[in-house]
Amino acid sequence: MASRADAAMSHKRMPGARESRWLRPELQGLPTYGVAVVSPSRYAGPTYKLSSNESPFAPNEKIVAAITQAARSANLYPEMFGENLAGTLAAHYGLPADRVAVAGGSLVLLQQAVQAVASPGEEVLFGWRSYEAYPIIAQTARCQTVTVPLREHRLELQRLSEHVNAATRVVIVCSPNNPTSTDISSDTLEAFLEELPPTCLVILDEAYREFSTDATVPDGLRLQDRFDQLLVLRTFSKAYSLAGVRIGWCAGHPDIIRALRRVALPFTVSSLAQAAAVAAITEDTRTGQEHTATLVQERSRVSASLREVGFEVPASQTNFLWLPLGDRAESFAEKCGTAGVSVRCFKGEGVRITIGAATANDRVVDVAQSFALGTRARSSARHHEYQGNKETR
Ligand SMILES: *Cc1c(COP(=O)(O)O)cnc(C)c1O
C-alpha cells in the first residue's frame, strides 16, 4: 500500500483482446460511471437518495416560470453557443464576454477541453481518488491518464507537479475534491500555476465552490486575469438545484473558449436550460444562497454527530461528506441501504454521502450511531481505529 501510494500510477491500456468485434479495444479498460451506488433495499418508509450530490431543494418558482416561458418557443433552435447566458455570466462575474462558454453540463466542457488540447497518447494528469468521469473522458480521447494518490484525503499539488513532463497537456484539479470533500489552498494553486509550462492547460473543476466556507479555498474566477492557462469549470447542477436541466459553464482564455466552440456539437444546450440558468443568475440568487447556507449548516451538524460516535470525517467544503472507512465501507453502505438511504460506496476506501434535508441527514446519523455501537461490540481489537477522528486541518 505505502509504496504504491508514493508512485504515480500510469494506466496503460491492455492491448489485445476485444470485448466485442465492434468496439475499440481500449474501451475495455474504461471505468464505468456510477457503479458504486448502494440503493435502498427492503425499506418500508420514505427513502432518501444521498448518492449523487443533488440538492434536496427544488428550483425556485421564478426559474420554473422561465423554463415554461422558454418552452413556448421550443419549436425553434436555441442560440448556438448560449450567447445570452454567456454574456449574462460574464457581466455577473465581471469577466470579458469572450472568456465564457456554456454547455449541457460542466462535464461536457471538460470533455471538449480535453479533445481540443490533448492528442492521442498525450498525458492527462490528476489526483486520485477524484471524480470518476475524469478517466473516462481522458481515455475516450485516447490519452494516457496519470494519477497521483491523495494524501490524507487531500490533493497535494506539489506532488502533482512532480509528474508534469513534456507530454502533459492537461492537469485536472478538482477543488473541492469529489469524493473526498477536501480543498486545496489558493496559495498552493497559484504557486503550482506559476511553475507550470505555459503549454499545459489546468482545468480547475469547481463544481462545489459555492459550498466552500474556508477563506483559503481558491476562487478560479478571480485567478482568471493572472493565469492564461487556467480553465475554470462551474455548474448549475449542485448549488443551483438544476442538475436535471443540464447546464454548466467555464471561464478561460479566449483561445481556449474559441476552441471549445469549434469542437462542440451545434445546439446541444437547450433553450430551456439557457433560460433556466439566466433566471438562476438574474432572478433568484437569494433563495439559492439560503439553500446553500442551510446545507452548509447541516454539513457541520452531521459532521459533528458522526465524529462524536467515532467516525473520521475530513473537513468538508462541499455538499457531501467523505467517510474513509477502508474495508468497512461496504458494510456501512449496506447499512445505509437497509435504512432507506442510498449512498456512494468506494469499496475498500470509503463512503460518500450527500448532505440532504434534515430528515435524511438524521437517518444517516442514526445509521452511523448503530454502526459504531455494533462495531465496538463485535471487535475491541478494531476499536482503536475509531480514535482517529480528529480534524485533519
Ligand atoms: C457534479 C460534478 C460536476 C457537475 O457536472 P455537470 O455535468 O455540470 O452536472 C462536475 N465535476 C464534479 C467533480 C462533480 O462532482
Side-chain angles (χ1 to χ4, degrees):
M1 228 0 218
S3 65
R4 194 177 158 89
D6 273 287
M9 285 177 284
S10 178
H11 300 282
K12 295 219 164 63
R13 294 180 215 106
M14 289 290 176
R18 283 179 182 250
E19 194 175 359
S20 147
R21 66 191 155 122
W22 312 114
L23 305 178
R24 285 160 49 193
E26 60 268 33
L27 284 192
Q28 203 156 276
L30 220 55
T32 316
Y33 188 90
V35 282
V37 177
V38 175
S39 302
S41 52
R42 287 164 284 140
Y43 190 79
T47 59
Y48 302 105
K49 185 178 173 214
L50 300 183
S51 49
S52 295
N53 297 345
E54 293 150 330
S55 171
F57 303 108
N60 177 281
E61 278 310 314
K62 286 179 186 159
I63 297 179
V64 177
I67 296 173
T68 309
Q69 176 68 26
R72 301 213 164 87
S73 317
N75 54 313
L76 306 177
Y77 275 109
E79 280 180 12
M80 178 95 93
F81 299 116
E83 291 89 339
N84 181 35
L85 172 57
T88 304
L89 285 163
H92 184 77
Y93 288 101
L95 297 162
D98 62 357
R99 281 192 161 258
V100 174
V102 305
S106 56
L107 276 182
V108 174
L109 293 159
L110 181 63
Q111 182 169 46
Q112 290 171 354
V114 170
Q115 276 176 355
V117 165
S119 295
E122 291 184 321
E123 293 180 8
V124 176
L125 173 67
F126 46 92
W128 197 255
R129 182 168 279 280
S130 191
Y131 193 34
E132 291 167 282
Y134 300 157
I136 298 176
I137 286 172
Q139 289 177 40
T140 307
R142 295 193 148 100
C143 293
Q144 198 72 33
T145 61
V146 180
T147 58
V148 176
L150 307 187
R151 248 191 216 160
E152 299 290 315
H153 322 297
R154 219 167 262 287
L155 175 66
E156 289 185 343
L157 288 171
Q158 186 49 47
R159 302 184 66 211
L160 212 55
S161 62
E162 288 162 17
H163 297 284
V164 172
N165 62 52
T168 312
R169 298 293 291 152
V170 177
V171 182
I172 307 175
V173 175
C174 189
S175 168
N177 188 46
N178 179 3
T180 61
S181 79
T182 53
D183 58 342
I184 53 171
S185 78
S186 198
D187 289 350
T188 55
L189 178 66
E190 289 164 49
F192 175 74
L193 286 163
E194 265 153 18
E195 270 184 29
L196 220 59
T199 49
C200 184
L201 182 72
V202 175
I203 302 179
L204 180 64
D205 185 346
E206 295 192 320
Y208 300 97
R209 183 61 181 78
E210 290 86 353
F211 299 101
S212 301
T213 46
D214 189 331
T216 64
V217 177
D219 180 342
L221 300 179
R222 294 201 179 181
L223 298 175
Q224 273 297 297
D225 48 8
R226 282 181 49 207
F227 300 100
D228 282 348
Q229 68 213 101
L230 182 65
L231 182 71
V232 180
L233 304 182
R234 294 281 179 107
T235 182
F236 287 90
S237 297
K238 307 284 160 55
Y240 287 89
S241 291
L242 290 173
V245 162
R246 312 303 308 128
I247 186 86
W249 65 284
C250 68
H253 191 276
D255 288 353
I256 297 290
I257 299 299
R258 270 194 300 274
L260 298 182
R261 290 180 176 176
R262 279 169 65 187
V263 300
L265 296 173
F267 304 122
T268 50
V269 189
S270 79
S271 48
L272 281 63
Q274 294 181 28
V278 169
I281 290 291
T282 56
E283 301 249 28
D284 184 49
T285 48
R286 208 174 47 82
T287 51
Q289 280 162 12
E290 282 166 11
H291 290 161
T292 301
T294 303
L295 293 172
V296 165
Q297 240 171 8
E298 280 292 285
R299 176 177 84 197
S300 311
R301 178 179 77 87
V302 179
S303 304
S305 303
L306 298 190
R307 286 182 192 131
E308 224 163 82
V309 294
F311 281 77
E312 179 187 356
V313 187
S316 170
Q317 291 294 311
T318 61
N319 67 340
F320 59 88
L321 299 181
W322 174 244
L323 306 180
L325 287 160
D327 58 10
R328 290 166 299 165
E330 256 188 315
S331 61
F332 181 72
E334 272 160 27
K335 278 269 187 317
C336 292
T338 337
V341 181
S342 72
V343 297
R344 274 289 165 110
C345 177
F346 299 87
K347 206 173 157 183
E349 292 176 65
V351 175
R352 191 194 73 190
I353 307 178
T354 308
I355 297 295
T359 45
N361 303 334
D362 287 344
R363 185 84 61 83
V364 170
V365 171
D366 286 348
V367 175
Q369 282 168 347
S370 69
F371 184 81
L373 279 176
T375 311
R376 256 178 231 145
R378 258 204 320 281
S379 159
S380 56
R382 280 201 161 169
H383 191 180
H384 73 278
E385 290 178 33
Y386 276 114
Q387 303 308 305
N389 63 342
K390 297 190 184 69
E391 290 246 30
T392 50
R393 36 186 304 124

